């Protein structure tokens, strides 16, 4: 057997073994419900392969043809996962009495955003751009339905419900960490890359360094809060991976999450008062010592680039300057999902801005959304973010929790088997 065949066979065997282990784990989480276990496994598989996680070349610059080996493999994955989802949904031999999956808050607003993108695509796009937009929207809608299907089968008791959902999400975070650590000594070029500015960053074939950094930060707080077995090792590994990604966004999110964690962890109000006082004191000390911290922190955040460029946000502002032309051309409907950001490359290459690089996205979620879907999409995004802020209030118990609405229903309840299973 030649080397390519051996490599293909090895990858096939590894993938099959991973799926079998994943199904066994999902079966354990589902408390013996085979149908729910398959839903959970499909959610894991598709989450790892979503466009925001896998490098899919949304710009179309490096892979100009719509059909290339990467896109063909993703389309195949989409139809395999989608077919398994539909088959499992209507498999009457294994179907247990349970509510039909329905999109509920907080999935309503994402569905409205993607629904508007679909309508907008038919209004402004044609040909290959329209087909690509429809396909990518179908990917995200499949993910939302998988999430809704799993969540509607969660326990009805709110604390157990939240813990159960965390157990469902955790394998995705763990897979990203382990995949990175396994590939690092075997194929370092797949996970560790050094950019033109000389800064090295850790990632993996399925996760950009920024995405991996955020996922590692989420895993850190999972280990910190639930304290599963070997949680100290998990804390160390997740923190080291996050640090090695050199992701400024991940560090910013980690800092904010730490502030929320420190403030919300104490149950008593006086404990939260002292936590808030400590956070404010540290912020004041950092402000007083900013001259001492500027050089060190600035050079770290610059990732090998110019500190002055970081301070003025010049690279970002050049992208936004080019984005202004696209927004002015189509303020109401935008330029279409996926197709809109592609035009940034054309604008920046035409000399409208003084940029020395070509952006593949707008480096700002509001600007990106405006380019994609116009005013309606941007308004829906604002509402979505405001609702997210509202959900933060539920963590402190200041408002009624509505993150996963509990509703009366008859059928399978994972809580029935909860105490029969060991806690991870």
């Amino acid at each position: 057997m030649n080397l390519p065949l051996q490599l293909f066979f090895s990858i096939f065997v590894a993938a099959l073994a991973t799926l079998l282990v994943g199904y066994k784990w999902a079966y354990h989480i589902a408390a013996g419900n085979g149908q729910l276990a398959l839903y959970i496994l499909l959610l894991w598989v598709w989450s790892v392969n979503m466009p925001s996680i896998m490098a899919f070349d949304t710009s179309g610059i490096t892979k100009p043809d719509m059909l290339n080996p990467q896109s063909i493999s993703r389309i195949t994955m989409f139809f395999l996962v989608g077919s398994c989802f539909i088959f499992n949904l209507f498999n009457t031999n294994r179907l247990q009495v349970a509510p039909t999956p329905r999109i509920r808050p907080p999935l309503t607003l994402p569905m409205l955003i993607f629904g508007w993108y679909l309508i907008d695509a038919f209004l402004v796009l044609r040909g290959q751009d329209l087909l690509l937009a429809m396909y990518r929207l179908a990917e995200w809608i499949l993910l939302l339905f998988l999430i809704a299907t799993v969540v509607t089968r969660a326990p009805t008791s709110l604390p157990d419900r939240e813990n159960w959902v965390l157990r469902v999400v955790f394998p995705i975070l763990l897979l990203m960490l382990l995949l990175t650590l396994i590939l690092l000594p075997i194929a370092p070029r797949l996970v560790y890359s050094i950019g033109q500015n000389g800064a090295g960053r850790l990632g993996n074939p399925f996760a950009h360094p920024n995405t991996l950094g955020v996922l590692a930060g989420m895993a850190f707080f999972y280990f910190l809060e639930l304290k599963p077995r070997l949680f100290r090792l998990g804390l160390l590994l997740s923190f080291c991976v996050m640090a090695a990604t050199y992701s400024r966004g991940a560090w910013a999110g980690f800092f904010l999450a730490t502030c929320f964690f420190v403030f919300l962890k104490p149950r008593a109000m006086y404990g939260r008062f002292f936590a808030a006082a400590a956070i404010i004191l540290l912020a004041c000390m950092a402000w007083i010592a900013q001259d001492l911290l500027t050089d060190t922190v600035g050079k770290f955040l610059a990732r090998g680039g110019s500190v002055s460029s970081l301070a003025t946000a010049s690279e970002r502002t050049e992208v936004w300057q080019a984005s202004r032309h696209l927004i002015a051309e189509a303020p109401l409907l935008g330029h279409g999902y996926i197709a809109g950001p592609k035009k940034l490359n054309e604008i920046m290459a035409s000399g409208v801005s003084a940029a020395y690089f070509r952006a593949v996205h707008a480096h700002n979620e509001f600007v990106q959304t405006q380019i994609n879907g116009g005013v309606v999409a941007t308004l829906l995004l604002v509402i979505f973010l405001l609702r997210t802020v509202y959900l933060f209030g539920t963590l402190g118990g200041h408002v009624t929790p509505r993150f996963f609405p509990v509703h009366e229903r008859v059928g399978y309840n994972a809580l029935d088997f909860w105490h029969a299973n060991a806690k991870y």
Side-chain angles (χ1 to χ4, degrees), residues 197-393:
N197 55 12
R201 306 185 67 188
L202 193 66
N204 67 48
F206 300 99
H208 184 275
N210 291 337
T211 303
L212 180 61
V214 172
L215 294 176
M218 294 169 63
F220 179 90
F221 284 102
Y222 177 91
F223 287 117
L224 183 63
E225 178 64 19
L226 296 188
K227 293 181 174 56
R229 298 171 184 173
L230 302 175
F231 78 95
R232 292 181 179 86
L233 178 61
L235 287 173
L236 178 62
L237 291 179
S238 55
F239 185 83
C240 290
V241 169
M242 184 184 67
T245 61
Y246 216 151
S247 171
R248 295 172 296 207
W251 275 104
F254 184 79
F255 173 76
L256 291 175
T258 301
C259 292
F260 273 103
F261 182 85
V262 171
F263 176 74
L264 296 175
K265 186 64 176 177
R267 297 299 181 184
M269 185 55 65
Y270 68 86
R272 292 183 177 179
F273 173 79
F274 284 114
I279 294 172
I280 294 174
L281 178 62
L282 289 175
C284 293
M285 292 175 61
W287 176 261
I288 295 173
Q290 60 178 317
D291 292 337
L292 299 176
L293 298 175
T294 297
D295 288 341
T296 303
V297 176
K299 290 178 180 178
F300 174 80
L301 294 177
R303 285 204 299 244
S306 170
V307 176
S308 61
S309 174
L310 174 69
T312 59
S314 60
E315 290 187 356
R316 296 293 190 271
T317 53
E318 287 170 1
V319 178
W320 299 336
Q321 181 181 354
S323 301
R324 288 174 56 190
H325 295 273
L326 292 177
I327 294 174
E329 290 176 6
L332 296 179
L333 297 178
H335 295 269
Y337 187 60
I338 303 298
K342 285 185 181 181
K343 296 183 178 180
L344 273 176
N345 178 65
E346 302 171 5
I347 293 291
M348 300 182 78
S350 66
V352 173
S353 64
Y356 59 89
F357 64 99
R358 304 291 177 261
V360 296
H361 54 82
H363 288 281
N364 182 288
E365 195 64 31
F366 295 101
V367 177
Q368 180 94 351
T369 303
Q370 178 66 37
I371 293 174
N372 276 331
V375 175
V376 175
T378 304
L379 179 61
L380 290 173
L381 175 65
V382 171
I383 297 174
F384 174 76
L385 294 177
L386 289 176
R387 176 172 174 77
T388 302
V389 174
Y390 165 81
L391 294 177
F392 276 120

Side-chain angles (χ1 to χ4, degrees), residues 8-59:
F8 174 79
F9 181 75
S10 301
I11 294 174
F12 176 78
V13 172
L16 183 61
T18 303
L19 287 176
L20 291 176
V21 172
Y23 180 79
K24 184 176 180 180
W25 194 350
Y27 192 81
H28 178 78
I29 294 176
N33 186 324
Q35 187 190 42
L36 179 59
L38 184 55
Y39 282 135
I40 294 173
L41 181 64
L42 291 175
L43 175 63
W44 292 347
V45 171
W46 195 232
S47 296
V48 172
N49 286 277
M50 279 303 294
S52 65
I53 297 177
M54 185 174 183
F56 184 60
D57 182 36
T58 57
S59 64

